[in-house]
Amino acid sequence: MKLQQIIAAVQEYYPSADLEPIRKAFNYVRQCHDGQMRASGEPYITHVAEVAFLACRLKLDISSIVAALLHDTVEDTNITIDDIKKEFNEDVAHLVGGVTKLNRVNFSSRAEQQAENFRKMLLAMARDIRVLLLKLCDRTHNMRTLEFLSEPRQMRIAQETLDIYAPLAHRLGIYWMKSELEDLSFRYLKPTIYTGIKEKINQKKRERERYIEDVVALISRELSENNIKGSVFGRPKTFYSIYHKMETQALNFDDLYDLIAFRIIVDSTMDCYAALGVVHAAWKPIPGRFKDYIAMPKPNGYQSLHTAVIGPKAARIEIQIRNQQMHDIAEKGIAAHWIYKETSKTGKAKTIPASIEFAWLKDLLESERLLRDPHEFMSLIKDGLFPQEVYVFSPKGDLLALPINATAIDFAFQVHSEVGMHCTGARVNGQQVPLSHKLQNGDTVEINTSPNRTPSKDWLRMVVSSKAKQRIRNWLKAEERAKSVLVGKELLAKDLRKLKLNLPKLIKDGELEEAAKELGYKDLDLLLAEIGYGKITSTAVVEKLLPEEEDLEAKLADDSVLQRHLPRSAEHGDHTGVQVNGMEGLVFKFAKCCEPLPGDDILGFVTRGRGVTIHKRGCTQAMSFDYRRLIDVHWDPNAKAERTIHINVITIDKVGMLAALSQCIAAHGVHIVAAQAAAIQNGKALHRFDISVENKAQASTIVRALEKLDGVIQVERNRNLAPSDFE
């Protein structure tokens, strides 16, 4: 990418711009990255130039273009943020700092690094949305050149892109970027399915092109005969959107008819509705497929009319209708939305400003402030970016956007956290409904509250929004901690009474507070909670208080916290394959919710009187636990034992699927303990296998092999599905 191409792109949308900073930055970064090569073998300057060119496509300001050129200097060279501030300006330095990764910091795990990188980006983009736009440009070009990295890195980066960056592009309304990121991620995550769809599309390429030409001509003629000026375009659907439709509707490729979408661009909003009437008069509309995003825009500013009809040759076609301004906003997202908005006010074109507020971004920031566990934080981030939404009204007529399948509880927390914490019931469209009621587009929702009502664990199974999940989990953790403080206080008081000591007096005199600090706890409540959790013995506390006391263990015999809270196994040693530093012979059990296997990153949860339960890190159920009851555990590399796990396979409902799946599993030398199959909705079938495996790698190999079978839609490990889940 040459400097002149970047300058020409900037001049196209910003003719009066001072271009000297761009020239200076280009020459500066060429020297900084001199001799550095990318994995593709290209000079590093090609990457930063491509990122800058993508920033031009989003019509960003000069500081953003300069920052795009400089975005890797701090990470990959000896240049510092202060150097950039001196050489350019504070605005550019701020943008570069926001995009720079934290790979110079040592983290305990990959999950922690990912969470901290995203925390930094989140805080930076809250102050300046340009940071996120630059990060998306950087990720887009990295995805375009992903083929030169190793397969494990390809998989990790592609999954992260699909989970976080594509939804972020969607949230900002940049649909061309969202579609490209989804397709590129799909290519690496599901290469066999991706290649199959691509080959089948290419087989009918000429036939599809002729069909597009015919339909475009028909729509154009209908518009002209009704005196509506407009342009008509046809476009094939993206590979990922085709795969998503095949997966969700249990269809083979040959059963898909609406592989092509048409777009009508007219002059005005009134013409949008007039064009809709023309389309519906020409072809029969498909019930339930009309959506009016003009009257009710999406939160990212997107506006358009969507409809689907039975078109020529009885094929289903999707049609979007919008005016030119709506089209620009749909393609360029928040940048175009802002530019149109401000130009209409002042009459002068502007580039996107540093600060634009979004409700979804505020919710993510609240999660960032309250959550410290990296797995929980990233899980809620993914939930918060979930693109499908339902639109409902408050009793006052305010429009709120919630994730699809949101319940009355989700709505209550969206209105206000206190409303959610004390909700007792709801009225939807005037009818009383339970809190678990799933909301539909256009519902009017009213929440009933009571100061005596508080959240329960059952609520976590009802809610889908990240805000509701986070508030409920925090409240449950606080309640759990309060109970553990009381238990710890009772256990410590009992041991102290044996030594004729008074707990209230020791607290009043400050001796216990001092002992807590000597043991490494910031306050007494935290120490008492740790005793209640079983993570420290009351004996250890007494030893701090009475270091000279003789025969202390004998006086407190058979009454330690570990004996009360962490029962030992009958046999000496442990045969589960799990170890805890400093503790031997503990009773372990494996969580059924996530079924951890050797090779999975795991943690232990102290259950009073029942030993330690082993969960996978990131397990949604474990996220509701107080982190102070979690202990570090690891797999014993010398232990070998098979464990039974669940594999759920959703397929097209056709003869021979169960046999094909069973043969595939058996071919990998794995024993099938049990197998079930049942028809579910929309022509799908659910197959559930209980299989014995040795480790995560073996399970992953089987999952990948099953995914490649013809007719397989989705394969999931651990999730305990039943046919009733699809009703």
Side-chain angles (χ1 to χ4, degrees):
M1 180 65 61
K2 296 179 181 178
L3 172 62
Q4 289 307 315
Q5 290 176 282
I6 297 172
I7 288 176
V10 173
Q11 287 178 320
E12 188 176 330
Y13 67 89
Y14 199 176
S16 61
D18 178 9
L19 301 172
E20 187 54 36
I22 296 177
R23 294 189 179 95
K24 179 181 177 181
F26 190 89
N27 292 324
Y28 183 83
V29 78
R30 186 161 52 187
Q31 292 178 359
C32 291
H33 290 294
D34 184 41
Q36 292 183 350
M37 309 296 284
R38 302 199 82 213
S40 62
E42 295 177 316
Y44 207 91
I45 187 69
T46 59
H47 168 64
V48 295
E50 289 283 359
V51 173
F53 193 74
L54 286 169
C56 295
R57 187 170 176 180
L58 296 181
K59 298 187 176 181
L60 299 188
D61 61 3
I62 298 302
S63 291
S64 299
I65 307 302
V66 172
L69 289 167
L70 299 169
H71 78 272
D72 275 339
T73 52
V74 174
E75 183 179 329
D76 295 331
T77 74
N78 294 324
I79 301 299
T80 66
I81 293 294
D82 286 337
D83 293 333
I84 292 175
K85 190 183 297 184
K86 291 175 185 175
E87 194 70 28
F88 296 92
N89 57 52
E90 190 168 344
D91 192 31
V92 171
H94 157 72
L95 290 171
V96 173
V99 179
T100 301
K101 298 175 187 173
L102 298 183
N103 62 353
R104 292 185 179 178
V105 180
N106 293 320
F107 295 102
S108 61
S109 68
R110 172 67 201 174
E112 184 182 344
Q113 183 177 14
Q114 184 192 44
E116 288 305 313
N117 282 338
F118 197 80
R119 282 185 201 276
K120 184 181 182 186
M121 188 176 74
L122 191 62
L123 293 169
M125 75 190 195
R127 293 190 295 267
D128 192 333
I129 198 65
R130 295 175 298 172
V131 170
L132 176 55
L133 295 171
L134 289 175
K135 188 68 179 176
L136 287 171
C137 293
D138 181 39
R139 178 53 63 108
T140 300
H141 186 252
N142 282 333
M143 287 299 296
R144 289 176 178 178
T145 55
L146 198 61
E147 62 186 292
F148 300 102
L149 301 184
S150 65
E151 185 177 347
R153 290 185 68 191
Q154 288 176 354
M155 297 288 286
R156 176 179 59 77
I157 294 170
Q159 191 64 60
E160 184 181 69
T161 300
L162 191 62
D163 288 344
I164 295 174
Y165 291 97
L168 277 171
H170 173 89
R171 281 288 189 179
L172 295 176
I174 312 171
Y175 287 97
W176 67 266
M177 185 176 281
K178 165 190 173 284
S179 298
E180 182 173 349
L181 291 175
E182 285 177 342
D183 268 4
L184 289 169
S185 300
F186 176 42
R187 173 185 171 187
Y188 293 100
L189 293 173
K190 306 274 187 182
T192 305
I193 301 174
Y194 175 89
T195 303
I197 291 175
K198 184 177 180 180
E199 288 175 352
K200 288 175 181 177
I201 286 177
N202 287 337
Q203 287 171 5
K204 297 184 178 181
K205 183 178 180 181
R206 184 56 198 149
E207 179 184 334
R208 188 174 60 254
E209 288 174 347
R210 281 198 301 268
Y211 186 81
I212 290 175
E213 291 171 2
D214 292 344
V215 174
V216 166
L218 283 171
I219 296 176
S220 299
R221 188 179 67 205
E222 292 287 340
L223 293 176
S224 178
E225 289 177 355
N226 287 274
N227 298 316
I228 300 172
K229 293 181 180 180
S231 303
V232 185
F233 307 94
R235 59 181 180 84
K237 287 194 170 182
T238 64
F239 295 159
Y240 181 76
S241 66
I242 292 170
Y243 164 72
H244 185 68
K245 178 160 285 191
M246 291 169 62
E247 182 184 59
T248 55
Q249 298 183 15
L251 297 172
N252 281 316
F253 182 87
D254 293 335
D255 297 327
L256 291 174
Y257 295 102
D258 48 350
L259 294 177
I260 304 167
F262 293 88
R263 189 169 291 152
I264 302 173
I265 313 295
V266 293
D267 290 342
S268 67
T269 301
M270 291 298 294
D271 285 345
C272 291
Y273 290 98
L276 176 69
V278 168
V279 169
H280 282 184
W283 298 296
K284 183 181 293 185
I286 299 172
R289 298 294 300 274
F290 170 65
K291 294 179 182 178
D292 188 345
Y293 292 119
I294 293 179
M296 290 194 300
K298 291 186 178 183
N300 57 23
Y302 176 88
Q303 288 183 288
S304 191
L305 298 177
H306 288 197
T307 189
V309 299
I310 305 297
K313 299 182 181 179
R316 296 183 178 208
I317 58 174
E318 295 182 358
I319 300 175
Q320 299 170 352
I321 307 170
R322 56 180 75 142
N323 64 29
Q324 188 61 50
Q325 179 177 330
M326 296 172 190
H327 180 64
D328 287 347
I329 292 171
E331 290 300 299
K332 301 181 179 70
I334 187 60
H337 181 72
W338 171 263
I339 291 166
Y340 269 108
K341 180 180 175 183
E342 291 304 298
T343 303
S344 64
K345 285 182 182 178
T346 64
K348 296 180 180 179
K350 292 189 175 184
T351 53
I352 191 166
S355 177
I356 297 179
E357 291 190 350
F358 300 96
W360 59 271
L361 183 52
K362 288 182 179 179
D363 288 344
L364 293 186
L365 283 171
E366 288 184 25
S367 297
E368 187 279 330
R369 284 193 291 268
L370 294 170
L371 297 176
R372 305 319 307 168
D373 179 81
H375 295 276
E376 185 174 359
F377 173 68
M378 292 309 297
S379 176
L380 285 174
I381 289 299
K382 293 171 188 177
D383 288 344
L385 294 174
F386 197 69
Q388 296 188 48
E389 291 169 318
V390 59
Y391 298 89
V392 296
F393 294 94
S394 72
K396 295 181 179 179
D398 296 327
L399 182 66
L400 283 81
L402 295 167
I404 202 79
N405 293 324
T407 63
I409 303 178
D410 290 295
F411 176 87
F413 276 98
Q414 190 69 20
V415 171
H416 195 279
S417 294
E418 285 301 307
V419 175
M421 296 296 286
H422 302 293
C423 62
T424 58
R427 295 176 68 85
V428 174
N429 304 325
Q431 300 294 317
Q432 194 71 32
V433 298
L435 289 174
S436 58
H437 178 80
K438 292 184 179 180
L439 304 177
Q440 304 295 322
N441 276 321
D443 282 348
T444 298
V445 189
E446 182 179 358
I447 299 296
N448 304 320
T449 61
S450 168
N452 299 320
R453 183 65 183 265
T454 54
S456 71
K457 281 190 175 181
D458 291 338
W459 286 16
L460 283 175
R461 291 195 291 269
M462 301 179 193
V463 298
V464 296
S465 66
S466 58
K467 183 174 183 178
K469 287 180 181 178
Q470 173 229 314
R471 297 294 190 281
I472 295 167
R473 284 171 178 163
N474 282 348
W475 190 89
L476 292 173
K477 288 177 182 179
E479 282 291 292
E480 185 69 29
R481 185 174 187 270
K483 291 177 184 176
S484 293
V485 169
L486 292 175
V487 172
K489 185 179 286 188
E490 179 186 335
L491 294 172
L492 183 57
K494 186 176 180 180
D495 279 349
L496 290 172
R497 281 197 297 271
K498 293 179 181 180
L499 301 169
K500 300 187 179 348
L501 294 175
N502 182 271
L503 178 63
K505 186 176 184 302
L506 291 171
I507 294 175
K508 183 178 180 181
D509 294 344
E511 292 184 50
L512 267 180
E513 190 79 36
E514 186 177 337
K517 290 179 180 177
E518 288 179 8
L519 288 166
Y521 298 98
K522 65 179 181 180
D523 57 45
L524 179 57
D525 273 359
L526 182 55
L527 172 63
L528 294 173
E530 297 287 82
I531 295 173
Y533 293 147
K535 295 184 73 172
I536 183 174
T537 66
S538 55
T539 304
V541 180
V542 175
E543 285 176 345
K544 277 292 177 186
L545 292 168
L546 301 171
E548 305 299 327
E549 181 73 25
E550 296 182 1
D551 299 324
L552 188 60
E553 289 189 12
K555 292 177 181 179
L556 302 177
D558 301 322
D559 216 10
S560 72
V561 169
L562 277 180
Q563 287 171 325
R564 287 190 296 264
H565 285 357
L566 297 179
R568 306 289 170 146
S569 57
E571 301 178 19
H572 181 69
D574 172 44
H575 302 288
T576 62
V578 176
Q579 296 178 336
V580 181
N581 292 336
M583 302 182 192
E584 294 183 358
L586 297 180
V587 173
F588 292 99
K589 64 177 181 178
F590 293 96
K592 293 181 179 179
C593 53
C594 55
E595 296 180 341
L597 287 172
D600 285 323
D601 196 8
I602 56 174
L603 51 79
F605 176 68
V606 177
T607 52
R608 294 190 185 96
R610 298 193 302 277
V612 178
T613 303
I614 307 301
H615 289 264
K616 285 170 61 177
R617 286 191 183 273
C619 168
T620 53
Q621 183 169 323
M623 286 178 184
S624 65
F625 302 150
D626 192 313
Y627 70 90
R628 295 182 185 88
R629 290 184 68 179
L630 302 175
I631 59 175
D632 288 328
V633 296
H634 60 273
W635 296 104
D636 180 355
N638 299 317
K640 289 186 178 180
E642 287 193 350
R643 297 196 54 248
T644 299
I645 62 166
H646 303 299
I647 296 284
N648 296 288
V649 188
I650 299 174
T651 71
I652 294 169
D653 189 9
K654 65 179 184 179
V655 176
M657 279 309 309
L658 179 60
L661 296 172
S662 300
Q663 289 171 7
C664 178
I665 295 172
H668 286 81
V670 172
H671 176 57
I672 300 175
V673 179
Q676 294 175 303
I680 54 178
Q681 290 183 348
N682 301 324
K684 299 179 186 177
L686 170 64
H687 305 262
R688 186 172 178 222
F689 296 92
D690 294 351
I691 63 174
S692 293
V693 294
E694 293 181 356
N695 50 45
K696 176 186 176 182
Q698 189 177 30
S700 298
T701 299
I702 293 167
V703 168
R704 286 195 296 270
L706 291 171
E707 286 177 336
K708 294 177 181 179
L709 294 180
D710 187 35
V712 172
I713 299 169
Q714 187 176 359
V715 183
E716 285 189 336
R717 182 188 136 198
N718 304 330
R719 196 170 167 212
N720 196 0
L721 297 175
S724 58
D725 293 328
F726 299 88
E727 294 176 357

